[in-house]
Amino acid sequence: MTATDLPRLTVRSPADLIAAVPYLLGFHPADSVVVVAMRGRRIVFVARADLPDPGTDPRLPARHLGEVLGRQDAESATVLGYGPAERVTPAVDAVRAVLADAGLTVLDALRVTAGRYWSYLCAAPDCCPPEGTPYDQAASQVSAAAVFAGQVALPDRAALTAQVAPVEGDAREALRRAAARAERRLLALLAEAPPADLLGGRTVRAAGVDAVRTALRTHRRGERLTDDEVAWLSLLLTHLPVRDHAWERTDGREEDISLWGDVLRRAEEELIAAPASLLAFAAWRAGQGALAAVALERALATHPDYSLAQLLDDLLRRGVPPSELDGWPAVGDPGVVRRRPRRRRPRRQIG
């Protein structure tokens, strides 16, 4: 589910909207129900859910979509179902009912599959033939405009998940050796901490602040962290004051998304909670809700009780737009968040 602030894509027909949806989501949907919500003539939110399995109640995902869309101050919506009619039709009907109960005008309801679309609201054979209306996404001006604007539509959600998957093979073996060196380095650092530094907290925080600053500078120069830098940073991020220092300095910049995505893929599995959450926060701030979701799925699969991942997962599931929390977070005590008076607004919010 994604809050959107689109590049200027001109949508004049159902085919144009179908061409735009993959760029709004970040991937081509399949076996999905998608709701494109509008305020006036502007798209303000796009939400996607998996089609219910056969034999399950289609009202459950519909209710959730309705709850999320109810927070978006939308006026109207179009519903699109991707897949076979026997699965799409009950899901689309349930979503239409929920949207109508919420007071949203349903502009159209479409089923999309195999290069054709059908409208549930139009039965005129001259514009909505029973065999469906063909469309060519590759030839669409909307697709061309989205690509020109720098938008990417991956083949499917699995391709998006692959962007946060751990590196394997020889690279992983090298990273494991780097992780062992980082652990020895941390033990030596704690052994050298002054007696007044209880449990070495201040020493670790100082090392972590330095590691975060180095990583941010390195990535903003267009350079990649070394294995030892990734191992050292991911180990120090387990210290909450270090994680919070990194969190305060993370926004929706492409450099932030690139940095935390790289650290997440290269960190040892037991250390991924912080970089995964920081990637999710950066992606959410940039409006890339789908990327934020897959990062949080990976974090919570391994660390289900990690509070920052839980917090961000709740924001995504409730469809909270990033613009509602400009200036957030401001972190005082570790893990305690308060609003900060000023923060740069993200350049774009698309997913």
Side-chain angles (χ1 to χ4, degrees):
M1 299 182 180
T2 310
T4 65
D5 185 9
L6 289 173
R8 294 189 177 276
L9 301 179
T10 302
V11 175
R12 295 190 176 94
S13 68
D16 286 344
L17 183 60
I18 293 167
V21 163
Y23 296 94
L24 304 179
L25 293 174
F27 60 92
H28 290 265
D31 295 328
S32 302
V33 58
V34 175
V35 181
V36 180
M38 302 185 69
R39 188 182 309 123
R41 300 177 63 184
R42 185 184 183 199
I43 296 173
V44 294
F45 195 81
V46 179
R48 187 207 70 89
D50 292 335
L51 289 178
D53 292 329
T56 61
D57 189 349
R59 293 174 295 179
L60 296 178
R63 288 170 185 158
H64 182 59
L65 287 172
E67 291 171 0
V68 171
L69 290 166
R71 300 185 180 94
Q72 308 308 317
D73 193 27
E75 299 168 347
S76 61
T78 295
V79 186
L80 303 95
Y82 294 80
E86 62 271 19
R87 294 188 63 198
V88 168
T89 300
V92 169
D93 287 347
V95 173
R96 287 171 57 192
V98 166
L99 297 181
D101 289 343
L104 272 71
T105 301
V106 178
L107 301 175
D108 207 345
L110 306 172
R111 181 170 73 87
V112 184
T113 188
R116 292 178 178 267
Y117 67 86
W118 291 258
S119 173
Y120 289 96
L121 303 187
C122 175
D126 55 336
C127 64
C128 300
E131 69 273 16
T133 303
Y135 70 94
D136 184 356
Q137 179 134 358
S140 168
Q141 292 184 352
V142 171
S143 297
V147 172
F148 182 77
Q151 305 310 304
V152 175
L154 296 172
D156 50 33
R157 196 173 187 272
L160 186 68
T161 302
Q163 292 190 341
V164 301
V167 300
E168 300 292 351
D170 292 343
R172 174 54 57 194
E173 290 302 318
L175 285 161
R176 288 196 181 106
R177 292 192 292 271
R181 290 192 294 271
E183 290 176 1
R184 293 194 294 270
R185 180 179 175 184
L186 180 59
L187 290 174
L189 182 71
L190 292 172
E192 296 171 359
D197 184 6
L198 185 62
L199 301 178
R202 290 196 300 272
T203 300
V204 173
R205 185 184 187 281
V209 166
D210 181 66
V212 169
R213 289 174 178 169
T214 298
L216 291 172
R217 285 196 300 266
T218 298
H219 251 260
R220 287 167 189 169
R221 290 196 305 266
E223 301 172 8
R224 195 181 190 212
L225 301 184
T226 66
D227 288 350
D228 283 307
E229 288 172 329
V230 167
W232 183 235
L233 175 61
S234 57
L235 182 59
L236 293 172
L237 284 170
T238 61
H239 189 52
L240 281 183
V242 176
R243 192 278 316 273
D244 288 347
H245 177 83
W247 187 16
E248 284 191 297
R249 283 149 184 82
T250 296
D251 208 330
R253 295 172 289 257
E254 290 296 332
E255 296 93 337
D256 294 343
I257 294 172
S258 174
L259 169 62
W260 297 121
D262 185 50
V263 175
L264 169 59
R265 296 198 67 213
R266 297 165 68 193
E268 292 297 284
E269 196 66 21
E270 65 271 17
L271 304 178
I272 67 165
S277 299
L278 293 168
L279 170 60
F281 180 73
W284 174 72
R285 287 290 298 171
Q288 298 184 37
L291 177 58
V294 295
L296 291 172
E297 285 174 8
R298 186 160 175 227
L300 292 169
T302 307
H303 306 276
D305 298 324
Y306 194 70
S307 60
L308 179 55
Q310 291 176 332
L311 172 64
L312 295 171
D313 186 59
D314 180 61
L315 291 175
L316 259 68
R317 291 182 182 278
R318 291 192 293 115
V320 177
S323 58
E324 286 192 10
L325 294 174
D326 279 344
W328 180 81
V331 180
D333 295 330
V336 178
V337 180
R338 62 185 186 277
R339 190 169 181 117
R340 194 163 56 189
R342 298 182 63 189
R343 190 176 184 91
R344 183 183 65 81
R345 294 181 66 85
R347 294 188 298 273
R348 61 186 179 87
Q349 299 175 5
I350 62 175

